[in-house]
Amino acid sequence: YTLISLHTPLLNMGTDLSQCFEGCKNLSGEIPEGLFKNNTSATNFRRCFENCSGLESIPEGLFAYNKAATDFSGCFSNCAGLKAIPEGLFANNEAATNFENCFYVCSGLTEAIPERLFTNNVNVTNFSSCFFACYNLSGTIPERLFENNTAVKDFYGCFYSCNHLTGSIPEGLFKNNTAVTNFTICFFCCNGLTGPIPEGLFANNAAVESFDACFAGCSGLSGTIPEGLFANNKDVTKLSNCFEGCSGLTGTIPQGLFANNKEV
């Protein structure tokens, strides 16, 4: 069967559309754009298309009428056939709070992450494992990707093993994410990332508690470790394996690197 053959829009589905098509591996082609048009009260799209490995594309207006939606965790998890993410996919979902595992192991994604993908999602608190093991994502990480997500607390594994991402990590990537507490394995094995680590990358993230294995396996990173990288992260308690396997880093470990991290 193909999703194109489904009757659209879906009716009388209430507020919960979680796991609606989970495991429908033989669904193929494109999801109908008006599929959820009448489900204006739906709040939960958790794991809605998980393991729909035959899906190849997502219409930009799929969630355009679902302004009450709060949970997109695991929504497209393991959709290995997807090639790209539309920039306006979540443009009308201002109430969304959770994108954990949203594109988890979408190994077929090859196009770059759209810079304005999360621009209107001002209430998000969780981006953990959002692009986890999206091995073939290309291009650079957009500097403004999380610009408006000021409530985010968790970036655990956000770009884990996205080893085809290239270029430098933008210095302003997390500048407005002042509530974040967790960067554990955030860039783990992103070995395509190059350039030095920006000194001000975490300058505005004073609430961070963990950088465990944050850059582990990032063998393409170059230059020296900035002395002031963790200067403003005074609540950090975990820094284990932070630079493990960063074979391209040069120079000596700065004497004052952990001077302000008294809880470690």
Side-chain angles (χ1 to χ4, degrees):
Y1 297 94
T2 69
L3 269 182
I4 296 174
S5 68
L6 288 176
H7 295 291
T8 58
L10 287 176
L11 302 174
N12 302 318
M13 294 291 287
T15 61
D16 193 348
L17 283 157
S18 62
Q19 300 174 272
C20 189
F21 301 104
E22 182 187 6
C24 295
K25 296 182 179 181
N26 292 320
L27 293 175
S28 61
E30 180 177 305
I31 304 165
E33 185 162 0
L35 186 62
F36 304 122
K37 183 176 182 179
N38 286 357
N39 311 114
T40 55
S41 297
T43 60
N44 193 351
F45 286 93
R46 179 176 176 266
R47 297 167 62 185
C48 187
F49 298 100
E50 184 178 46
N51 291 320
C52 291
S53 54
L55 289 179
E56 298 175 358
S57 62
I58 309 168
E60 187 160 30
L62 180 61
F63 304 117
Y65 297 92
N66 312 117
K67 296 182 179 181
T70 60
D71 194 348
F72 289 99
S73 60
C75 188
F76 300 101
S77 175
N78 286 303
C79 288
L82 291 178
K83 302 294 189 296
I85 305 169
E87 185 166 56
L89 182 61
F90 305 117
N92 289 4
N93 310 120
E94 187 176 326
T97 60
N98 193 357
F99 286 99
E100 179 181 7
N101 297 331
C102 188
F103 299 101
Y104 183 94
V105 198
C106 286
S107 55
L109 289 174
T110 55
E111 295 189 19
I113 302 170
E115 183 170 47
R116 298 180 61 82
L117 181 61
F118 303 119
T119 294
N120 296 340
N121 311 122
V122 295
N123 293 299
V124 178
T125 60
N126 194 348
F127 278 119
S128 64
S129 302
C130 186
F131 301 104
F132 188 103
C134 290
Y135 308 113
N136 293 306
L137 272 176
S138 63
T140 59
I141 301 174
E143 182 165 11
R144 300 177 63 187
L145 183 61
F146 305 121
E147 185 176 51
N148 292 348
N149 314 121
T150 56
V152 174
K153 295 183 178 180
D154 200 343
F155 281 108
Y156 174 98
C158 187
F159 300 105
Y160 180 103
S161 285
C162 291
N163 51 32
H164 278 77
L165 290 175
T166 58
S168 300
I169 302 172
E171 184 163 29
L173 182 61
F174 304 119
K175 69 179 181 180
N176 293 337
N177 311 124
T178 55
V180 64
T181 62
N182 194 359
F183 281 110
T184 299
I185 63 171
C186 184
F187 299 103
F188 186 95
C189 279
C190 289
N191 51 35
L193 293 176
T194 57
I197 301 171
E199 184 164 30
L201 183 61
F202 305 120
N204 293 351
N205 311 124
V208 176
E209 299 171 0
S210 177
F211 285 109
D212 273 359
C214 184
F215 300 104
C218 291
S219 57
L221 292 175
S222 61
T224 59
I225 301 172
E227 183 170 1
L229 183 61
F230 303 122
N232 296 338
N233 313 121
K234 299 179 181 180
D235 291 337
V236 173
T237 59
K238 298 178 180 179
L239 276 159
S240 64
N241 307 107
C242 188
F243 302 103
E244 181 184 6
C246 292
S247 55
L249 292 176
T250 58
T252 59
I253 299 173
Q255 186 173 357
L257 182 62
F258 305 122
N260 292 342
N261 313 123
K262 304 189 186 329
E263 300 298 322
V264 176

